[in-house]
Amino acid sequence: MANDVNVFTGIGRMTRDAELKTIGNTSLCNFGIAVNKSFVSNGERKEKVNFFECQVWGKLADILKQYGGKGKQICINGQLEQSTWDGQDGKKMSKVIIRVE
């Protein structure tokens, strides 16, 4: 069986303050980042923004809550992780988050 690669690295700005929770004895922070990309199309400079949901666990979550905040530029490394659940209407729902390491 082949080993697949699931790696995300990005630099962006936090879209909101980190939301810190404690689950058992472990800290969990949820936050979002916006990653901008500039490019030229038909001689005109354009910009595209991508928004990503992120999650970080443990000591790094505590550090992010203390030093991070809306508008702060951060570099993150992690893996893409897909969550699935049944919605209130019975339809399958899913979202992809970046699990920051």
Side-chain angles (χ1 to χ4, degrees):
M1 180 181 258
N3 288 328
D4 297 330
V5 177
N6 178 0
V7 177
F8 176 89
T9 300
I11 298 173
R13 297 207 177 263
M14 294 179 67
T15 59
R16 64 181 187 275
D17 291 337
E19 303 158 11
L20 183 67
K21 297 184 211 179
T22 302
I23 298 178
N25 293 331
T26 305
S27 298
L28 165 65
C29 254
N30 292 303
F31 64 100
I33 63 167
V35 179
N36 296 324
K37 178 183 178 178
S38 297
F39 60 96
V40 176
S41 177
N42 296 325
E44 183 180 339
R45 181 181 159 93
K46 296 188 176 185
E47 208 169 282
K48 179 177 179 170
V49 182
N50 291 291
F51 296 92
F52 300 102
E53 289 295 315
C54 303
Q55 183 177 84
V56 62
W57 291 82
K59 182 69 175 165
L60 193 53
D62 296 325
I63 293 168
L64 181 67
K65 179 63 179 171
Q66 183 177 358
Y67 295 106
K70 183 176 180 176
K72 292 271 188 167
Q73 188 177 46
I74 61 171
C75 177
I76 61 172
N77 295 298
Q79 297 181 343
L80 301 178
E81 191 172 280
Q82 185 174 23
S83 299
T84 58
W85 67 96
D86 293 323
Q88 291 179 343
D89 58 1
K91 292 183 181 177
K92 283 281 188 198
M93 307 289 289
S94 71
K95 75 175 178 178
V96 175
I97 63 162
I98 300 169
R99 186 152 184 186
V100 178
E101 298 170 347

